[in-house]
Amino acid sequence: MSETAMGTDWRAWQESWDRQQEWYMPDREERFRVMLDMVEATVGPEPRVLDLACGTGSITDRLLRRFPNATSTGVDLDPALLTIARGSFAGDDRVAFVTADLTDPGWAAGLPYDSYDAVLSATALHWLRSGPLATLYGQLAGLVRDGGVLMNADRMPDRATPRINAAERAHRHAAMARAREAGAVDWAEWWALAAQDPALAGPTAERFEIYGEHADGETPSARWHAETLLAAGFGEARAVWCSPSDSLVLALK
């Protein structure tokens, strides 16, 4: 990334985030494709979307490129990723961003709408432990309109298959090591680069004050997510896509 891009080009920062995430999840674009397929299948091509724990706006970016008449509200607490998101979508009146802590009972008070056609999240809610996540699912059931949809794509291992899990993990990490040798940037290095950018140095420092170095969350199974969403008030829920390590769970209101 050039010095100019690091300082002023928010799109370049967003793309660098995507590349860093793809190092961990080479099937990332496939899960986004299926997610948007199911948005269209359930609520149509002009949805009002809540991009939950939106980060740099990766879902919103793909949503608007595929569905130009969609609208999106991105919610996150990370000041650095939100800085990139706001810079990337500056001037786009289809998009709004809200700073909120999803563990705060009143987090939804700042949303611009009372209901949404779709709530979408990817590779983010594992930062929450299962208790707070179940509470969040209950809150989201009240935000999704009748007939609307919630989708969460994340690491959802099945602990009943430890040998399969170990084989998948070893294979994935070997591929990551090869990519790293070829110059791929990992999580820690990406944040180190962000801390060197004058526009992101302050938000990055604030981000680590909020979160620390590591997540304190959990990665329950896809079955747990589906059962918890049903208990929260959704009418149907199941996985609609999976890789050897990750799943996309869809809940229909």
Side-chain angles (χ1 to χ4, degrees):
M1 186 181 301
S2 70
E3 182 176 346
T4 299
M6 290 179 68
T8 63
D9 190 341
W10 297 115
R11 173 61 58 177
W13 268 115
Q14 186 178 98
E15 290 174 355
S16 77
W17 174 262
D18 283 341
R19 288 194 299 272
Q20 179 258 122
Q21 290 287 285
E22 287 163 3
W23 180 66
Y24 294 97
M25 297 165 287
D27 51 14
R28 187 168 179 257
E29 291 302 325
E30 176 68 7
R31 80 189 63 194
F32 286 146
R33 182 191 67 77
V34 175
M35 178 180 282
L36 296 181
D37 281 350
M38 294 309 298
V39 166
E40 186 172 22
T42 55
V43 298
E46 299 184 9
R48 177 189 292 170
V49 170
L50 179 60
D51 184 353
L52 197 68
C54 64
T56 64
S58 295
I59 290 175
T60 293
D61 179 49
R62 288 152 182 80
L63 172 79
L64 297 179
R65 280 193 271 127
R66 178 159 169 178
F67 306 125
N69 293 323
T71 58
S72 179
T73 303
V75 176
D76 210 302
L77 184 61
D78 189 310
L81 299 185
L82 279 174
T83 296
I84 295 170
R86 289 186 169 111
S88 296
F89 294 95
D92 191 333
D93 60 8
R94 298 171 297 175
V95 185
F97 290 102
V98 175
T99 300
D101 181 349
L102 296 178
T103 64
D104 182 338
W107 71 268
L111 298 178
Y113 302 106
D114 295 329
S115 68
Y116 288 85
D117 300 311
V119 175
L120 307 178
S121 190
T123 325
L125 299 185
H126 62 266
W127 282 76
L128 300 178
R129 301 193 71 81
S130 57
L133 180 54
T135 298
L136 178 63
Y137 278 160
Q139 294 170 317
L140 294 171
L143 285 171
V144 175
R145 67 163 173 83
D146 288 345
V149 68
L150 178 150
M151 279 182 270
N152 180 22
D154 213 335
R155 188 64 46 84
M156 299 180 185
D158 186 339
R159 289 175 176 79
T161 58
R163 290 186 297 160
I164 295 173
N165 298 349
E168 180 280 324
R169 185 178 186 278
H171 183 268
R172 176 165 41 88
H173 279 255
M176 289 168 64
R178 291 191 297 271
R180 191 78 173 91
E181 290 173 1
V185 173
D186 66 9
W187 168 269
E189 187 175 355
W190 190 91
W191 282 109
L193 290 169
Q196 295 170 18
D197 187 306
L200 286 173
T204 296
E206 184 182 353
R207 181 245 180 242
F208 280 96
E209 290 178 5
I210 295 170
Y211 291 108
E213 294 290 337
H214 301 288
D216 189 34
E218 294 177 308
T219 54
S221 68
R223 176 179 293 182
W224 179 93
H225 284 273
E227 291 175 349
T228 304
L229 286 160
L230 290 171
F234 287 88
E236 298 179 13
R238 69 171 176 89
V240 293
W241 172 90
C242 70
S243 73
S245 61
D246 293 17
S247 294
L248 169 60
V249 170
L250 183 155
L252 193 66
K253 184 73 179 292

